[in-house]
Amino acid sequence: MSRVSRRTLLTGGVGLAGLGVGAAAVGAGREMSAPQPEASTLPFYGRHQSGIVTPMQTHASYIGIDLLDKADHQALHGILRMWSQDAANLTQGKPGFSDTEPELATSPARLSMTVGLGPGAFTSAALAARRPSWLAPLPAFAIDRLQEQWGQTDLVVLVASDDPMSLAHAVRAVIAPVRRRTRLRWVQQGFHHGRNLFGQVDGTVQPADDRHDDLVWNDGAEQKWLAGGTSLVLRRIAMNMDTWEALDRRGRELSTGRTLDNGAPLTGVDEHDEPVFTATRGGVPVIPESSHIARAHRRSDREQFLRRPYSYDSPPDSGLIFATYQRDPLVQYVPVQQRLSDHDALNEWTTPIGSAVYAMLPGPKEYLGETLFA
Amino acid sequence: MSRVSRRTLLTGGVGLAGLGVGAAAVGAGREMSAPQPEASTLPFYGRHQSGIVTPMQTHASYIGIDLLDKADHQALHGILRMWSQDAANLTQGKPGFSDTEPELATSPARLSMTVGLGPGAFTSAALAARRPSWLAPLPAFAIDRLQEQWGQTDLVVLVASDDPMSLAHAVRAVIAPVRRRTRLRWVQQGFHHGRNLFGQVDGTVQPADDRHDDLVWNDGAEQKWLAGGTSLVLRRIAMNMDTWEALDRRGRELSTGRTLDNGAPLTGVDEHDEPVFTATRGGVPVIPESSHIARAHRRSDREQFLRRPYSYDSPPDSGLIFATYQRDPLVQYVPVQQRLSDHDALNEWTTPIGSAVYAMLPGPKEYLGETLFA
């Protein structure tokens, strides 16, 4: 189906009819990913869910939830219907279905609510055949010190907003109405700044916008229902501020391969300059082979993924909620992570303590998961 | 000393000389409390500490710290000197003394770092006579379900900013350099919205700006060193969202005595209308006698204090970091809290789980605590 005909179909769909928001804010397909600094609402309906290629909001909470009865796929269906109803309203600045604090809904501040499914959501007989092949625990990495409390869940909801109250209100709308059928496992709260708590410019390397269809969005080839969705790899990475700060500034820059000043590679002057890994000074590589960017740099065109880093800070614990989105995590993400695990200078100061993988649903015409249950 | 001569003294003082920020941002005395929506820095030096009558920043963390050796008043002196040095820089957008992430200091976003002392800070022989008489645990209230983990500490630092990264960076500058001599007890992280998580407009009743000298700031009559300081009562109040939301909207408004729509008293139309407690409808008080505002309403002119409510949200736990500032908590705050404890319709849905009292230091000429150690 061509992009144009797809969009025509979508904008004529039932889900969009009653929205009452401007076309600029709704726009299906690629339009969703365009920066909208003036807009205070993000679309809920469309080919893709908001909150994935959307310019990052200041605040985000990833919510991990387990189903109490994984065999009951009708319960999952009901949960997704309920969340859709609330998200369709809350993201547009309207109260949720049984919202008792409607005044907290009026300033969404680019609120997005983005839903994904873990392996456990596909346990029921009705859905087992619809599980994407890559939706499984990541291979064990030698650097991992994973804690069960930050582990894989059956469901994930990413709630993000530029306003912490809008976010808190929406988080409650996710958790409260499904409590009888689920168990809340964790909430990972983060904030986005452009730098992480190590002071590093973070999230520099990203797929070009015109590669999102290719590198981020699922094409439905393996699982037709997932077309327009994607995969999320969610890693919780503790950062040891004390030992990091014991290192001198030059040592910190060499471990990353970038300047702390503006994030430029050590061979360049601007953040987005292409690093030159072959450059040497006095016979020594300017960017050490063991540096983070040397190890993380893609060895092939497929080793690209969208990075969405949020910092978390719960003194004395702090670190990064490192989220990546890609069509296929095994092909795009895992080879890079394996290299970093094998050797990355930064490993001395960072420890992965949580890891999970999710299939992020396609954007809804009527409700989230509609193609899964079709 | 008149206001003019005091200001002349201050602006000629050592502490201000090297600041290099505009006079409008520095201003001693009353000028500090004026709203400065355009300014991205708040003054560190002055008659009063910033962060008390300052328009509330979006994010705040109260940090509770215990001294390892309460008898060593020189250690306390050193800690206050160190914090002063960092706060004088960080609040002005400059790196802290041993700041290894100077890039995180460049956008203070109205950062303030406000320091106070608990009873334990006055334990040493050298300082015992300088403890204000009111600096002691509050009387026990029947509604309290206090948890040790949110209890009184020897020191408190309120770090507040409109930017969560600026805040996280400053929180680390508070905690990290004093760890060998202190123990971190708690960090209470909150955000400010104008409404709390119950959806109520919060913080409506405040002393008039021209009453701050009288009702908020200490006059030095009892403890000369504290002139220009104040007291902080810090209460952590858990809010039971589930039972609150089970109440209908009218019931919720009657329990508070205000509309949920705009916070107007039930006898008025605008938030700041004076409530009319004598008004009846069909013989029944329009504002129930058991409502929160009826119970909290001052019975005398002294029963006024500054309210600085921040919401906290750690799903499934959420509530309010309720901070009040007043010259004398026993005279101004406790009678009101006693009435609320005796009976407040809101008590059914709220539970105080933390409580502490602090002497907030005067603003510094050179460093925080200079008058205490003089």
Side-chain angles (χ1 to χ4, degrees):
Chain A
M1 188 183 289
S2 76
R3 177 168 306 284
V4 173
S5 65
R6 198 162 59 200
R7 185 180 310 154
T8 307
L9 179 65
L10 281 170
T11 50
V14 176
L16 286 171
L19 252 190
V21 297
V26 174
R30 290 291 318 288
E31 285 78 353
M32 278 180 77
S33 61
Q36 301 172 336
E38 302 308 314
S40 66
T41 61
L42 296 170
F44 173 68
Y45 299 101
R47 177 160 167 73
H48 311 301
Q49 290 193 80
S50 287
I52 295 172
V53 297
T54 307
M56 288 178 77
Q57 295 99 323
T58 313
H59 303 278
S61 288
Y62 282 91
I63 309 168
I65 292 176
D66 278 344
L67 296 165
L68 290 184
D69 182 356
K70 299 189 210 306
D72 180 3
H73 82 281
Q74 287 305 327
L76 175 60
H77 195 180
I79 288 167
L80 295 176
R81 285 257 191 202
M82 187 171 298
W83 281 345
S84 298
Q85 183 160 276
D86 275 343
N89 284 297
L90 289 171
T91 59
Q92 306 308 308
K94 301 176 198 168
F97 178 66
S98 54
D99 197 332
T100 52
E101 287 81 38
E103 288 81 8
L104 300 183
T106 54
S107 303
R110 301 199 304 131
L111 175 69
S112 61
M113 302 168 72
T114 314
V115 178
L117 307 180
F122 295 86
T123 305
S124 73
L127 297 178
R130 300 203 154 195
R131 171 168 144 177
S133 56
W134 45 257
L135 186 58
L138 295 181
F141 299 109
I143 53 170
D144 288 354
R145 299 291 179 272
L146 302 184
Q147 301 173 6
E148 173 66 12
Q149 61 172 313
W150 305 115
Q152 180 73 54
T153 60
D154 298 334
L155 306 170
V156 73
V157 185
L158 162 61
V159 182
S161 171
D162 292 327
D163 181 279
M165 181 58 89
S166 163
L167 189 145
H169 183 60
V171 165
R172 181 161 171 79
V174 169
I175 295 172
V178 304
R179 269 183 307 202
R180 283 198 315 140
R181 295 181 172 279
T182 66
R183 185 166 70 95
L184 177 65
R185 283 276 303 284
W186 41 252
V187 178
Q188 303 196 40
Q189 299 178 317
F191 55 92
H192 171 66
H193 176 270
R195 292 182 186 266
N196 61 34
L197 287 159
F198 279 175
Q200 302 163 327
V201 176
D202 205 341
T204 299
V205 176
Q206 302 285 10
D209 284 355
D210 64 6
R211 299 292 306 279
H212 287 170
D213 274 347
D214 176 25
L215 293 168
V216 177
W217 302 123
N218 189 288
D219 62 358
E222 190 208 9
Q223 292 289 355
K224 194 175 172 196
W225 70 269
L226 193 53
T230 182
S231 75
L232 161 65
V233 173
L234 186 65
R235 307 268 293 175
R236 189 172 180 90
I237 302 174
M239 290 162 49
N240 190 326
M241 299 295 294
D242 292 329
T243 55
W244 172 253
E245 294 186 351
L247 194 64
D248 67 17
R249 191 170 172 92
R250 184 68 187 152
R252 280 178 275 138
E253 292 185 332
L254 287 170
S255 73
T256 316
R258 294 187 180 277
T259 69
L260 286 162
D261 178 34
N262 67 351
L266 296 180
T267 53
V269 285
D270 292 322
E271 179 191 348
H272 291 282
D273 287 349
E274 195 67 24
V276 182
F277 296 108
T278 54
T280 58
R281 191 173 295 138
V284 177
V286 176
I287 299 175
E289 289 174 29
S290 63
S291 69
H292 180 73
I293 64 166
R295 299 296 296 174
H297 188 73
R298 63 174 183 268
R299 301 291 199 263
S300 78
D301 182 68
R302 295 311 294 171
E303 292 182 0
Q304 299 189 63
F305 43 84
L306 196 65
R307 293 164 163 85
R308 310 271 291 180
Y310 277 98
S311 294
Y312 71 87
D313 188 42
S314 307
D317 301 317
S318 56
L320 202 65
I321 304 166
F322 184 65
T324 74
Y325 295 86
Q326 54 281 307
R327 180 181 287 184
D328 185 332
L330 298 181
V331 173
Q332 295 167 256
Y333 170 83
V334 167
V336 177
Q337 183 57 53
Q338 186 61 57
R339 277 200 303 278
L340 294 176
S341 177
D342 293 345
H343 193 89
D344 170 5
L346 275 184
N347 289 344
E348 191 167 337
W349 305 280
T350 60
T351 309
I353 58 172
S355 184
V357 186
Y358 300 94
M360 303 305 283
L361 300 172
K365 278 167 65 178
E366 290 185 62
Y367 70 96
L368 291 162
E370 62 204 2
T371 54
L372 176 63
F373 290 97
Chain B
M1 189 184 290
S2 76
R3 177 166 305 286
V4 172
S5 66
R6 198 161 58 202
R7 184 180 311 153
T8 307
L9 179 66
L10 280 169
T11 51
V14 177
L16 286 169
L19 253 188
V21 298
V26 173
R30 291 289 319 288
E31 286 78 351
M32 278 182 77
S33 60
Q36 300 173 336
E38 302 309 312
S40 65
T41 61
L42 297 170
F44 174 67
Y45 300 101
R47 177 159 169 74
H48 310 302
Q49 291 194 79
S50 287
I52 295 172
V53 297
T54 307
M56 288 178 77
Q57 295 98 324
T58 313
H59 302 279
S61 288
Y62 281 92
I63 309 169
I65 293 177
D66 278 344
L67 297 164
L68 289 184
D69 181 356
K70 297 189 213 306
D72 181 1
H73 82 280
Q74 287 305 326
L76 175 60
H77 195 181
I79 288 167
L80 295 176
R81 284 256 190 203
M82 188 172 297
W83 281 344
S84 298
Q85 184 160 275
D86 275 344
N89 284 296
L90 290 170
T91 59
Q92 306 308 308
K94 301 176 198 167
F97 178 67
S98 55
D99 198 331
T100 51
E101 286 82 37
E103 288 80 9
L104 301 183
T106 55
S107 302
R110 300 200 306 133
L111 175 68
S112 60
M113 302 167 73
T114 314
V115 177
L117 307 180
F122 295 86
T123 304
S124 73
L127 297 177
R130 300 203 155 195
R131 171 167 145 179
S133 57
W134 46 255
L135 186 57
L138 295 182
F141 299 109
I143 52 171
D144 288 355
R145 299 292 178 270
L146 302 183
Q147 301 174 5
E148 174 65 13
Q149 62 172 312
W150 305 115
Q152 180 74 54
T153 60
D154 298 334
L155 305 170
V156 72
V157 185
L158 162 61
V159 183
S161 171
D162 293 328
D163 181 280
M165 181 58 89
S166 162
L167 188 145
H169 183 61
V171 165
R172 181 161 171 79
V174 169
I175 295 172
V178 303
R179 271 182 306 201
R180 283 197 316 141
R181 295 180 172 280
T182 66
R183 186 165 69 94
L184 177 64
R185 284 277 303 284
W186 43 251
V187 178
Q188 303 197 40
Q189 299 178 318
F191 55 93
H192 171 65
H193 176 270
R195 291 180 185 268
N196 61 34
L197 288 159
F198 278 175
Q200 302 163 327
V201 176
D202 205 341
T204 299
V205 176
Q206 302 285 9
D209 284 355
D210 63 7
R211 299 293 306 278
H212 287 170
D213 274 346
D214 176 26
L215 293 168
V216 178
W217 301 122
N218 190 288
D219 63 355
E222 190 208 8
Q223 292 289 355
K224 195 176 170 195
W225 71 268
L226 193 54
T230 182
S231 74
L232 161 64
V233 173
L234 186 65
R235 306 268 293 175
R236 189 173 180 90
I237 302 173
M239 291 162 47
N240 191 325
M241 299 295 294
D242 292 329
T243 54
W244 172 254
E245 294 185 351
L247 193 64
D248 67 17
R249 190 169 172 92
R250 183 68 187 152
R252 280 179 276 137
E253 292 185 332
L254 287 170
S255 73
T256 317
R258 295 187 179 277
T259 69
L260 286 163
D261 179 33
N262 67 351
L266 297 180
T267 53
V269 285
D270 293 322
E271 179 191 349
H272 292 282
D273 287 350
E274 195 66 24
V276 183
F277 296 108
T278 54
T280 58
R281 191 173 295 137
V284 178
V286 176
I287 299 174
E289 289 175 27
S290 63
S291 69
H292 179 73
I293 65 165
R295 299 297 295 174
H297 189 73
R298 64 174 183 268
R299 301 290 198 265
S300 78
D301 182 69
R302 294 314 293 170
E303 291 182 0
Q304 299 188 64
F305 44 82
L306 197 65
R307 293 165 163 84
R308 310 270 292 181
Y310 278 98
S311 293
Y312 71 88
D313 188 43
S314 306
D317 301 316
S318 56
L320 202 65
I321 303 166
F322 184 65
T324 74
Y325 295 86
Q326 55 280 307
R327 179 181 288 183
D328 185 333
L330 298 182
V331 173
Q332 295 167 257
Y333 171 82
V334 167
V336 177
Q337 184 57 53
Q338 187 61 55
R339 278 200 303 278
L340 294 175
S341 177
D342 292 343
H343 194 90
D344 170 4
L346 276 183
N347 289 344
E348 191 166 338
W349 305 281
T350 60
T351 308
I353 59 172
S355 185
V357 186
Y358 300 94
M360 303 306 282
L361 299 172
K365 278 167 66 178
E366 290 185 62
Y367 71 95
L368 291 162
E370 62 204 1
T371 54
L372 177 62
F373 289 97

